[in-house]
Amino acid sequence: MGAHGKFPIAVTHVPSLCSPVLLRELRRTLEEQYRTTNERVLAGQNPWLKFRPDQTFYVTTPKVEEDDNDEPTLAAFFPARTYISLLEVLATVNAAAHFLDEFTHWQPKYPHRRPADKTFLAGIVGLGCEIGEKKIAHISPQINEHELENTLNWYFSVPNVQAANDRILSVMNQLELPQLYRRAPDRLHTSSDGQKFAVAVESLQARHSFKYFGQQKGVTVYSFIDERHFLFSSVVFSAADREAPYVIDGLLHNEVVKSDIHSTDTHGYSEVIFATTFLLGFAFAPRLAHLDRQQLYAFERRKNYEEKGYRIVPDAYLKPDLIAARWEDILRFIATIKLKYTTASQLFKRLNSYSRQHPLYSALKEFGKLPKTIFILHYLDDCDLRQAIEKQLNKIESAQKFAKAISFGHGQEIIQADKAEQDVAEGCRRLIKNAIICWNYLYLTQQLQQAETEERRTALLNALKNGSVVSWQHINLHGEYDFSEEKLRDSVGLNLPEILRFKQGEIREDEKE
């Protein structure tokens, strides 16, 4: 990737290698990257890397230049005076993906009368938009509250909602337009980030954070997206938890999107994550704040690099003996995650629960210093890589704005208390977002097919490349208003003349008490 070749850390089946062989390979890669990065600095070929008087450094990243032309934006190709209802979007995408088929009963061996599709759609909207099951039933004349409650209890689960999302992703994966967003046909860049949501009810998972919630409590919703705007995973956890342990969960626990390079911000980074992603075959490319404060490592003494005139030099030694002593345990740890016997976040929590740092955690952290150092050296040297990371992280930030627009039902607050219920509601919110993105792709594909001129076809493709398919301005998320005479009548029996004549002084003394 970038002007100087592909990502420096090869994605291979490294767990099959023994520790000495792998360390020798990484040592050669590390030394080569120290040499390449420093030689380009000394030759003045890296104008974006600057040094302060105290010899600390910082790097800037120029914005990607966009085409300056008068061509229409992507919004111009969506319906201009027609708002597509959310229910129409969900029904259309279900006709293409049949995602409602994944909502199966918890007891499939016994025959059950399956509810109508509209009941499932009401449940998805009620949970995903945080309207609530009771309210969505009361404001929807065609939905029976008891049937909806029964459907949510018996058909809505985390695996079912994930499988429904995967159905939509599989349909989008077959389309040609999403592939225009890929920077390289043989590599898929993904990213993840956390978003804070206040919780409106008492929840064991919610935690205080005055910065995000004021006097309330809240949780973190951690979401994953790829270059094509496929939202392939999400998880809800305590706002007090760090995001880094959940990075591996989203990369492994989905059946459609297979990442090659994954980016996070600083909150999603740790040296243990560098180690785990490398051994699992992912290239980890986070955007790290305060790079000059990040320690660089090497097998040789700092003096050896300074004698060569290098300006980017290591800060500390690596300890290969510590890695070799726990290599078998490291491989078992990685195999456990790879085979999905448990989630990586659970294992990391277990390793961090000891009063003293666990030897396996220490070995993983030590190993992670190697790919971390190689990455930082390459990150400093390759402007294209930094721009790719920025662009991919911008996509997850755009998806977070999308999530806020979807969660309109309760002031953008989560109304579920239990973690499983929160995960199901988040899965429904993600399903709605994926359905809208899929509808956009389907609509734009038809527009491309029906383009009458080559100029319009070219304009649409350019608008798609330079714009974002995560667009919802043409979608009616909030339903329709009924201005019929029946709905304009009072429904609760307000006696306006009596109310308007009422004086506060008429309240009897015993009622005041």
Side-chain angles (χ1 to χ4, degrees):
M1 173 179 289
H4 314 301
K6 293 185 177 181
F7 196 86
I9 306 175
V11 180
T12 59
H13 297 292
V14 289
S16 64
L17 299 175
C18 65
S19 174
V21 173
L22 180 58
L23 288 179
R24 281 198 300 271
E25 291 292 328
L26 286 174
R27 182 169 185 164
R28 281 196 293 268
T29 303
L30 178 64
E31 295 303 319
E32 177 64 21
Q33 194 61 59
Y34 267 116
R35 183 188 64 80
T36 300
T37 301
N38 278 282
E39 285 184 353
R40 282 178 43 79
V41 170
L42 296 173
Q45 297 174 346
N46 189 350
W48 308 109
L49 181 61
K50 309 290 185 181
F51 288 86
R52 302 184 182 94
D54 61 356
Q55 295 307 303
T56 59
F57 58 84
Y58 64 95
V59 66
T60 58
T61 303
K63 291 184 178 180
V64 179
E65 295 183 3
E66 297 181 356
D67 295 334
D68 187 14
N69 52 48
D70 297 328
E71 291 186 357
T73 62
L74 192 58
F77 294 92
F78 288 119
R81 300 186 60 84
T82 302
Y83 289 93
I84 312 302
S85 75
L86 178 58
L87 292 181
E88 179 184 338
V89 169
L90 290 172
T92 302
V93 173
N94 182 57
H98 304 288
F99 63 82
L100 289 183
D101 293 348
E102 296 294 344
F103 289 86
T104 56
H105 199 281
W106 280 33
Q107 294 180 329
K109 62 181 180 179
Y110 300 109
H112 299 278
R113 182 187 67 82
R114 183 177 175 83
D117 286 353
K118 63 183 180 182
T119 306
F120 288 98
L121 296 179
I124 292 170
V125 174
L127 294 180
C129 297
E130 298 296 349
I131 298 173
E133 59 185 80
K134 294 185 181 297
K135 184 175 180 179
I136 194 69
H138 287 172
I139 64 177
S140 306
Q142 297 84 9
I143 300 300
N144 179 274
E145 181 180 355
H146 175 72
E147 184 179 30
L148 176 60
E149 182 181 2
N150 182 72
T151 302
L152 291 174
N153 288 337
W154 290 100
Y155 290 87
F156 280 63
S157 64
V158 176
N160 287 356
V161 175
Q162 176 66 42
N165 273 284
D166 287 347
R167 285 265 190 138
I168 300 176
L169 297 178
S170 295
V171 168
M172 290 194 287
N173 199 35
Q174 298 170 11
L175 300 175
E176 292 294 328
L177 287 187
Q179 314 311 322
L180 295 176
Y181 286 109
R182 299 184 69 148
R183 288 174 62 90
D186 58 338
R187 294 192 303 277
L188 185 63
H189 198 162
T190 61
S191 59
S192 58
D193 193 19
Q195 186 176 17
K196 307 294 184 184
F197 281 90
V199 179
V201 296
E202 287 295 324
S203 173
L204 293 176
Q205 191 164 227
R207 292 293 183 271
H208 282 293
S209 175
F210 185 79
K211 175 182 178 182
Y212 296 104
F213 316 121
Q215 300 299 325
Q216 291 182 272
K217 294 181 180 181
V219 295
T220 299
V221 176
Y222 200 67
S223 303
F224 294 74
I225 194 171
D226 74 1
E227 290 178 283
R228 303 164 296 175
H229 306 281
F230 293 9
L231 292 155
F232 60 91
S233 185
S234 58
V235 63
V236 183
F237 52 85
S238 169
D241 289 352
R242 196 178 174 198
E243 297 174 0
Y246 296 90
V247 171
I248 308 300
D249 293 354
L251 291 174
L252 287 183
H253 291 268
N254 82 92
E255 301 301 326
V256 180
V257 175
K258 301 304 178 185
S259 175
D260 297 304
I261 305 168
H262 187 74
S263 295
T264 69
D265 59 14
T266 305
H267 297 289
Y269 138 81
S270 73
E271 288 165 345
V272 172
I273 299 301
F274 263 109
T276 307
T277 51
F278 177 80
L279 293 171
L280 286 171
F282 304 108
F284 188 43
R287 179 183 61 195
L288 300 177
H290 307 295
L291 274 173
D292 56 318
R293 301 179 191 174
Q294 294 287 340
Q295 282 202 320
L296 300 178
Y297 298 87
F299 291 92
E300 299 182 16
R301 296 181 303 168
R302 177 189 179 103
K303 186 178 180 181
N304 292 350
Y305 298 91
E306 292 175 337
E307 290 175 349
K308 297 177 182 179
Y310 289 176
R311 302 194 69 180
I312 307 294
V313 294
D315 303 293
Y317 285 113
L318 287 162
K319 303 173 183 176
D321 292 342
L322 176 60
I323 301 170
R326 292 286 173 178
W327 186 246
E328 294 297 325
D329 293 336
I330 290 174
L331 293 185
R332 278 192 290 270
F333 178 86
I334 297 300
T336 301
I337 297 173
K338 184 73 173 179
L339 296 174
K340 301 179 183 179
Y341 288 135
T342 187
T343 62
S345 58
Q346 288 294 330
L347 290 179
F348 289 136
K349 286 181 181 179
R350 180 65 182 272
L351 289 176
N352 283 321
S353 66
Y354 296 92
S355 57
R356 298 180 61 184
Q357 195 167 82
H358 195 280
L360 173 58
Y361 191 88
S362 298
L364 273 170
K365 185 176 180 180
E366 191 66 23
F367 181 82
K369 294 173 181 178
L370 252 172
K372 169 196 165 182
T373 302
I374 296 172
F375 165 74
I376 291 177
L377 291 170
H378 187 69
Y379 183 88
L380 293 172
D381 186 49
D382 194 339
C383 183
D384 286 349
L385 172 61
R386 297 197 301 275
Q387 289 176 330
I389 293 171
E390 288 286 347
K391 186 174 182 180
Q392 185 58 32
L393 289 176
N394 287 341
K395 291 184 178 182
I396 191 65
E397 291 172 4
S398 174
Q400 290 177 345
K401 295 179 182 178
F402 194 11
K404 287 288 187 181
I406 298 294
S407 307
F408 62 85
H410 201 277
Q412 299 178 338
E413 293 179 336
I414 290 177
I415 57 177
Q416 294 80 24
D418 182 72
K419 173 174 170 49
E421 294 176 348
Q422 291 173 355
D423 283 332
V424 170
E426 165 54 27
C428 289
R429 179 164 46 243
R430 182 161 57 88
L431 190 149
I432 292 172
K433 291 187 288 184
N434 276 324
I436 293 175
I437 294 170
C438 182
W439 190 94
N440 289 345
Y441 273 129
L442 294 171
Y443 181 83
L444 292 173
T445 300
Q446 180 171 284
Q447 291 292 301
L448 192 66
Q449 292 172 338
Q450 297 177 352
E452 297 178 354
T453 63
E454 187 63 30
E455 288 77 8
R456 180 171 175 80
R457 177 184 175 87
T458 302
L460 194 158
L461 292 174
N462 289 336
L464 188 68
K465 292 176 183 177
N466 297 322
S468 172
V469 76
V470 181
S471 177
W472 62 95
Q473 288 75 15
H474 55 289
I475 306 296
N476 180 10
L477 298 172
H478 301 127
E480 300 174 352
Y481 290 94
D482 186 351
F483 290 95
S484 64
E485 291 295 329
E486 179 184 355
K487 292 300 180 182
L488 295 178
R489 298 192 189 101
D490 172 33
S491 64
V492 296
L494 289 177
N495 190 334
L496 294 181
E498 291 293 330
I499 293 172
L500 294 174
R501 286 198 302 268
F502 180 78
K503 304 295 182 183
Q504 187 174 357
E506 296 178 7
I507 301 177
R508 297 193 302 270
E509 292 298 324
D510 58 341
E511 291 176 339
K512 291 182 180 180
E513 295 176 357

